[in-house]
Amino acid sequence: MAVPEHVAIIMDGNGRWATKRGLPRLAGHHKGASIVEGIVRHAADVGIKYLSLYAFSTENWKRLSDEVSGLMSLLERYIAEKLSALKANGVRLRFAGRKDRISLRLRAAMEAAEAETVDAGGLQLIVCIDYGGRQEIIDAVTALVADGVTDVTEESISKRMYLPDVPDPDLVIRTSGELRVSNFLLWESAYSEFYFTDTLWPDFDDAELDKAVESYSSRDRRKGGA
Ligand code: FPP
């Protein structure tokens, strides 16, 4: 079976999961965060090398301030609580997104986690925080201009994306039944396969990931060729 090297997930449906249970939206985000560790482990077990997770978009700042600060605290707590387990499992933790609007404390935790796992040989877990695909392209083009590059090519742009050494995602999964890209990995997903499931992110499990990988492996990826 062809296993995708890089899987990227739009973890959608936390709010609905909570609302259905009469709980505050943040409870859905907590439940959503609690399943990440198991999914990372299973992804590594099936042979996935890179797993990108869309945790907070450049548009998510528009949410109510309680939800924004709750999500930020959740991410900070996640790093504090899970870093040693991730390290023990050989996971390299990386982040993609704008850094200038993240609190100094969270940014310091992100940088420390990246530094501590830089030599890990296992799966690379890429958490996208304050990430927007258009913003990433703007940042890359800004860097091109600053570097005085006039020969603009796919390669010269790709080299200036947030994580240029990470291969493009082979498979993008979106949960919760929404059929949108929502500004995720716009440049990198040019030839990705997409998999949509109605399952809400907090209910996503190993079997769901297996189904997505099986669907991917049955596809004929011509990438524009005949
Ligand atoms: C979308 O659901 C989800 C988010 C905006 C946040 C995703 C964050 C997590 C799963 C937790 C932290 C992640 C890690 C990597 C520790 P939504 O709120 O838009 O749901 P809705 O569409 O049902 O309202």
Side-chain angles (χ1 to χ4, degrees), residues 67-211:
E67 186 171 347
V68 170
S69 58
L71 273 168
M72 290 297 159
S73 314
L74 180 58
L75 290 164
E76 206 176 309
R77 217 172 79 191
Y78 189 84
I79 297 171
E81 285 176 4
K82 302 292 180 193
L83 186 59
S84 49
L86 292 170
K87 270 167 76 175
N89 287 310
V91 174
R92 178 174 178 190
L93 188 55
R94 306 177 78 177
F95 298 92
R98 274 177 75 159
K99 298 285 185 291
D100 56 307
R101 302 190 288 192
I102 306 282
S103 76
L104 286 179
R105 223 173 57 182
L106 175 54
R107 223 188 312 164
M110 287 158 63
E111 283 163 9
E114 283 186 326
E116 277 186 51
T117 61
V118 71
D119 294 323
L123 177 142
Q124 296 201 19
L125 174 61
I126 299 151
V127 181
C128 302
I129 303 177
D130 200 5
Y131 176 86
R134 288 187 171 180
Q135 185 65 52
E136 184 179 26
I137 294 168
I138 290 169
D139 290 348
V141 172
T142 304
L144 272 181
V145 172
D147 293 344
V149 174
T150 49
D151 180 27
V152 180
T153 61
E154 279 194 24
E155 204 195 352
S156 63
I157 294 179
S158 290
K159 255 169 54 183
R160 289 166 176 82
M161 303 307 271
Y162 294 141
L163 300 174
D165 61 299
V166 172
D168 289 342
D170 302 290
L171 173 65
V172 178
I173 298 171
R174 181 168 191 151
T175 60
S176 92
E178 305 291 352
L179 307 178
R180 288 188 292 276
V181 172
S182 296
N183 205 9
F184 192 41
L185 302 175
L186 295 183
W187 178 267
E188 298 87 341
S189 65
Y191 288 102
S192 302
E193 296 293 328
F194 282 78
Y195 180 87
F196 298 98
T197 169
D198 287 337
T199 301
L200 305 176
W201 174 250
D203 294 325
F204 195 83
D205 58 13
D206 292 358
E208 288 278 349
L209 182 60
D210 290 342
K211 267 200 274 181

Side-chain angles (χ1 to χ4, degrees), residues 11-16 25 29 32-33 55 60 63 75 78 201:
M11 307 178 289
D12 198 10
N14 294 346
R16 274 163 285 165
R25 292 177 56 80
H29 296 313
N60 285 153
R63 296 190 175 197
L75 290 164
Y78 189 84
W201 174 250

